[in-house]
Amino acid sequence: MHWQVRVKQGSKTVDVYYYNPNEYQLEMRGCRLRNRPNKAKKVFEAGVHDVSGWVKCEEVMLRKDFYPTLPIDNLERVFYNPLRDPYWRRESDSNEFIWDESEYATLITSGKQVYILEERHCSFDDLREIDSKYLGDFKV
């Protein structure tokens, strides 16, 4: 697994880079958790992996040698795995909320995980509750 970083101008992809999560930490600024809900639900129901979620951000900084990695102690993890759950989740909310389209000032990676470094001050009025048919006996 590698982190894929797409550089876009408008809707056109102009460059694609791949980074080994064991070598690089990504610091992403101006972030939004994106998801294709219909595709994610199909992945969830069929159990066949396909890309349906990503982090859209304004800026990505690579941390390795010159920019040392940041510690993740006491940071909250956000996660997405449509094979287990078709929505973005936060570690602290016991799967009560759907975090698709939520925004963050800064997210960082550590290995294959994504953590909230800095919240974006915004309203959470757009959060939705989970449709119970997708819960089943899902556990984190």
Side-chain angles (χ1 to χ4, degrees):
M1 181 267 197
H2 284 74
W3 293 115
Q4 180 187 78
V5 177
R6 291 180 181 221
V7 179
K8 293 193 161 209
Q9 289 181 343
S11 61
K12 182 180 179 186
T13 300
V14 294
D15 262 319
V16 179
Y17 301 95
Y18 296 90
Y19 298 100
N20 184 333
N22 296 322
E23 294 179 28
Y24 290 93
Q25 182 180 58
L26 305 182
E27 181 178 338
M28 301 170 280
R29 297 180 183 157
C31 305
R32 178 181 290 228
L33 302 179
R34 300 301 310 262
N35 183 7
R36 289 190 183 112
N38 291 337
K39 192 173 188 180
K41 287 175 187 172
K42 287 179 185 175
V43 168
F44 177 73
E45 290 165 354
V48 178
H49 185 7
D50 197 358
V51 176
S52 57
W54 64 96
V55 176
K56 182 176 182 179
C57 56
E58 297 167 5
E59 179 182 354
V60 176
M61 185 169 90
L62 300 175
R63 294 186 163 277
K64 187 176 177 180
D65 300 325
F66 186 72
Y67 296 104
T69 58
L70 299 171
I72 58 164
D73 302 341
N74 301 317
L75 296 182
E76 183 179 2
R77 183 172 63 103
V78 293
F79 52 95
Y80 180 78
N81 180 350
L83 293 172
R84 295 179 59 197
D85 183 1
Y87 305 107
W88 277 97
R89 301 294 183 183
R90 284 179 67 152
E91 199 166 46
S92 66
D93 76 356
S94 302
N95 294 326
E96 290 183 54
F97 299 102
I98 295 170
W99 293 92
D100 298 354
E101 301 300 321
S102 60
E103 297 182 355
Y104 302 89
T106 311
L107 297 175
I108 62 170
T109 63
S110 179
K112 298 177 183 179
Q113 306 297 319
V114 179
Y115 295 87
I116 302 166
L117 183 63
E118 184 179 4
E119 298 271 359
R120 177 170 278 173
H121 300 289
C122 61
S123 167
F124 292 107
D125 293 336
D126 293 333
L127 291 178
R128 304 175 311 236
E129 290 192 36
I130 303 170
D131 184 340
S132 60
K133 73 178 181 180
Y134 292 108
L135 281 178
D137 45 320
F138 173 75
K139 303 246 188 303
V140 176

